[in-house]
Amino acid sequence: MMVSKAFSFQRWIRVLPGLLCACAMLFLQAGGLRAQETPSYYAIQDARLVTISSGTIERGTIVVRNGIIVAVGRNVSPPAGAWIIDGSGLTVYPGLIDGLSSLGMSDADAPPAQRNGLGGGGPGGGPAGGPVSEGPEDRPATYTWRMAADRMEPDSDAFNSWRATGFTSATTGPTVGFFPGNLALINLSEARPNEMVVKTPVAQRLNLSGGAGHRGYPSSLAGAFAYTRQLFSDAGHYAAARAAYEANPSGKERPVYDRALEAIMPVQAGTHPLLFPGSSVTEIRRALRTSAELGVTPILYGAQSAYKMAEELAESDVSVLVSLDWPTAPRDGDPEADPTLEVLRHRLLAPTTPARLFEANARFAFFSATPEDPTAALAGARKAVEAGLPHDEAVRAMTLSVAEIFGADDRVGSLEDGKIANLTVTDGDLLAEGTHVRMVFVDGERFEFEAGGDDDSSPGVRGSRGEDRADGDAESSDDAEDGMSDADLRALIGPSLRGPYRDDPVTLIRNATVLTVTNGTIENGSVLIRNGRIAEVGTNIPVPRGAHVIDADGQFLMPGIIDAHTHIAGGFNEGSVNVSAMTSVEDVINPDDVNIYRALAGGVTSVNVLHGSANPIGGQNAVLKLRWGADAEGLKLDGALPGIKFALGENPKRGGGFPDTRMGVMDVVRQAFVEARQYQDRWDAFNEDGDSGTIPPRRDLKLEALAEILRGERQVHAHSYRADEILQLLRLAEEFGFRIATLQHVLEGYKVADEIAAHGAGASTFSDWWGYKVEAYDAIPYNAAVMVQRGVNVSINSDSNEEMRHLNEEAAKTIKWGGLTETEALSLITINPARQLGIDSMVGSIEVGKDADLVLFDRHPFDNFAVPQMTFVDGKVYFDIAGDKERQRAIDAEKALLSGKTEGGRPITDDSQPEDVEAGR
């Protein structure tokens, strides 16, 4: 009996491996894959070989041995001992590579709060119990030391799905955090995690949203830019200190090891690329500008608006990863929604981005942006081909181009001797609808798939119609509702509807009542504009040859209106900290804000864009000229004095923490300047020592901005209401040796007008707002006039997207409420704010030599029925009431066309019959 048992046990030992293997085969088949015995030697014979690097071989053989390609060619003979695969009717491609993903990264990469399912959705979000960043020194959501290669947790189901679609590799890494960590290029094999790594690290990633789970600083886009700038500054200081210590440690303080800064040093040195997000033109240009400032080598990702600036990207020599998740209308969107023309155009033109980049000879590749649906990536690539990208370039953008961008083209991305055997084998053209992936090789390991049909279980390449579309639209994107293809519609897109209506080198405005503000009123006056500046002011000015003449008979010409307090085109709040002086509106200027154009329609030509009033010391401002159609840099008014926003009173003390009293607000401001003075002293001492070989002090971007105030290099614009707080701030400024440039709102300024005048501060106030909160109860409509009469430089501001469009009427109220003269009232919205912002040598009055920023009204601007007819910026007509009507008609017609609501190319009118509407679909 015992012998029998022993014999039985030995038999089981012999057959057990076979049973386990069979079980494994059944398990893999259930997932759509059929595992194959894995010999060390393969030859795919008589197949079409798309090598990428050396063209296409219509009938050739590729040989794989021990995970490496050992032969590729037309006349290659299958070697003895190789497992021969009949490639007749098959096409072999290099294995596809997803340019940016999170494959293999689990939720263990997220902060604990997100792993618990409690994370928020962006900066400042996250759970109430999560860690709170109180400033840059806390290194918020920064994990630069993370290595994707060390954190691999392969997901068999996900990897199977991607392999079944033809992908054999991916550039992957964690996504949570402003700096989530280092990415790795991995193979989607079934090996151990460390055996999947092809190259690491390949790039560090920047994520300006911070990701879920982050709370505290930064809570705004401007804050994210400020934090990024501070991190790289700290890395530079750390590197210098460490190098100095390593060179001669004797008698020197040993630098404290900092893993976050250690990991960012290669990026700062330019030897390790930084993945920088940017999809819109504004975001792309921010990325390019910031990368140049930081001295890093960027890889831009997103880039779906790059069709507008392909040549610029080519000239910048930046690598671009284009998202294949093209914009579409929401499947279950609001049926009454009215998308803007820009949105409709973008949906049509975004897929042309790859073609434009290719034509410009820019360096680009694709990434999926749809981690849950790999078939969407191929559908997106197909759409790029339909939009003009050559077919072979689309395949290259998912293979060799990705490898080149990440410095791994010596290993993967093409069919070449010596490269890793990552292959994708299809039964047709990779991007053709109906083609199926028959097998892939990953590191030489073969995975085979059934051909499949059109059912959901098929792992092959799916079409782009119906429910299989990545965007969820029930209809092909290539078929507009009116039967026109996307290509047809693209051909009908008109020119840009931004920019000036007229841009004449010489313009003469004549027969107007000219309200110069500083030099009286000229009846039947003329203003000659030459090359954007006022060349002559007077009467009977001769018409220069070639001049554009505007007959303004019966109309009134005044300087362009200046709004000294607005939040359009980039205003924000970084209320996560009490002092956010390191943030700046200039980092987040939005030239696409339609309020720019609407302000021009109200005669406004320049604005002071301010940080909000959430904290005692806010961010830096930006003074802009409203050059509608220009980019962010083109909007900046060169020569304006740099400034910063302060806030007193209710707003900064009601944030739920310290400060929660008015005394606390003032204490925050005082302490900040104490620290700024100490910071300045350290730098002064260092500069006095000269080149002594010592390391410069660490730059603190927050204190640096405050030190600029102490040196008189940066203006303070202070949100204020109550007289007692106004006096406190004036006295604090005098104690520290600087002056307040403007008191904003300053509703109780009339109570301390003499003190404001003595200090030399300006006042930018409302015309007649009061009672909307407790500290506004003592406001009076006489406030502006009283301060003017006491010698204060006063302006009327809007602090409102709507009110800024009728500041002329707001200024007129001071004639009734206070008896100001016409010129004094006009000064409140022209020369006075210009003086407050330090731009009065350029704008604010009609004088020879100044910029031709003008507005032409059909009546006196203080008439309740006055309407701007033309608004000039730098002599160019940026608003024209007649031209606007034509422009709006063109916008409406094109929107109707792009929305599919036309009949035979004719926009449908309100009196169309129902059947006409139906036919137009």
Side-chain angles (χ1 to χ4, degrees), residues 68-136:
I68 301 296
I69 299 172
V70 296
V72 181
R74 182 174 292 103
N75 299 315
V76 172
S77 298
W83 184 314
I84 298 176
I85 299 173
D86 183 4
S88 300
L90 300 179
T91 301
V92 182
Y93 296 89
L96 304 185
I97 309 171
D98 190 357
L100 182 59
S101 77
S102 57
L103 281 169
M105 299 290 108
S106 74
D107 64 355
D109 293 302
Q114 193 192 24
R115 293 202 301 269
N116 294 332
L118 299 173
V132 178
S133 168
E134 297 182 356

Side-chain angles (χ1 to χ4, degrees), residues 366-409:
F366 290 151
F367 74 99
S368 64
T370 52
E372 72 289 345
D373 184 7
T375 63
L378 290 179
R382 185 160 50 247
K383 193 165 185 177
V385 172
E386 293 167 355
L389 180 68
H391 174 281
D392 291 350
E393 293 302 320
V395 178
R396 194 183 201 282
M398 293 188 289
T399 53
L400 187 57
S401 294
V402 181
E404 288 172 341
I405 285 174
F406 290 106
D409 51 307

Side-chain angles (χ1 to χ4, degrees), residues 80 167 267 334 363 381 392 416 495 505 564 652 658 672 728-729 732 745 812-813 825 864 916:
F167 286 86
V267 179
D334 181 357
R363 188 166 53 253
D392 291 350
E416 297 181 66
F658 180 82
Q728 286 178 328
L729 183 62
L732 184 148
H745 307 326
K813 294 175 182 179
N864 282 341
D916 295 332

Side-chain angles (χ1 to χ4, degrees), residues 742-766:
T742 66
L743 295 160
Q744 297 288 324
H745 307 326
V746 61
L747 295 192
E748 292 187 16
Y750 66 94
K751 296 181 180 179
V752 288
D754 290 338
E755 289 80 358
I756 295 171
H759 177 84
S764 189
T765 189
F766 299 133

Side-chain angles (χ1 to χ4, degrees), residues 17 60 106 183 239 273 381 412 508 556 718 765 773 813 852 855 877 910:
S106 74
L183 284 78
V412 293
L508 179 64
F556 292 76
T765 189
K773 58 179 177 176
K813 294 175 182 179
V855 55
V877 181
D910 290 340

Side-chain angles (χ1 to χ4, degrees), residues 561-579:
I561 295 171
I562 301 171
D563 191 348
H565 185 134
T566 186
H567 302 287
I568 70 166
F572 68 98
N573 257 315
E574 181 56 66
S576 61
V577 288
N578 285 329
V579 180

